[in-house]
Amino acid sequence: QLQLVESGGGLVQPGGTLRLSCVVSGFNLDRYNIGWFRQAPRKEREGVSCISVSRGSTNYADSVKGRFTISRDNAKTIVYLQMNSLKPEDTATYYCAAGASTSCLYRNAMDYWGKGTLVTVSS
């Protein structure tokens, strides 16, 4: 059974850091790209970052470049999102998703979704 489970969300002060994890099971990640998306209240879900698990190539939304880093573990079963210099506007529910398309920052290109983890950036 295909499954993606996010963890690592929480409350953090502006300027702080968090690391999100996405544990993936039930399919061969070498055939997929894994993306992190986020959705703030009353806003559409947007792509944050994605990685080709087989090649290791990465993409980032302009809003997070230089602050967020996506990576995978050597066993290729966990994808991380390291978030530094967090801002209040980063507050959202963060989702990981898997898809075969290389357009992995677009939500419509993703086939499988986790249930999300909430990140709140506030003083």
Side-chain angles (χ1 to χ4, degrees):
Q1 182 178 359
L2 308 179
Q3 195 170 19
L4 301 98
V5 180
E6 305 95 335
S7 64
L11 173 64
V12 63
Q13 293 186 343
T17 65
L18 278 177
R19 187 175 79 160
L20 306 183
S21 300
C22 174
V23 177
V24 184
S25 61
F27 57 100
N28 184 354
L29 276 189
D30 281 344
R31 300 176 59 186
Y32 288 87
N33 298 297
I34 302 296
W36 282 98
F37 293 74
R38 66 186 181 186
Q39 188 166 18
R42 298 174 297 280
K43 292 189 176 181
E44 292 190 356
R45 193 170 298 187
E46 62 175 358
V48 174
S49 182
C50 62
I51 185 169
S52 166
V53 176
S54 61
R55 298 187 304 275
S57 56
T58 58
N59 287 291
Y60 295 92
D62 289 343
S63 59
V64 306
K65 280 181 181 177
R67 299 189 299 123
F68 290 10
T69 303
I70 192 170
S71 62
R72 68 191 191 287
D73 72 324
N74 289 335
K76 300 179 182 179
T77 58
I78 307 176
V79 175
Y80 301 101
L81 186 68
Q82 177 69 40
M83 305 187 297
N84 299 330
S85 303
L86 282 161
K87 305 175 181 180
E89 51 263 43
D90 295 317
T91 294
T93 298
Y94 283 71
Y95 301 88
C96 68
S101 171
T102 55
S103 302
C104 51
L105 283 180
Y106 295 93
R107 61 180 179 177
N108 291 338
M110 309 308 275
D111 301 311
Y112 306 99
W113 292 85
K115 294 183 178 180
T117 184
L118 178 63
V119 172
T120 304
V121 185
S122 175
S123 55

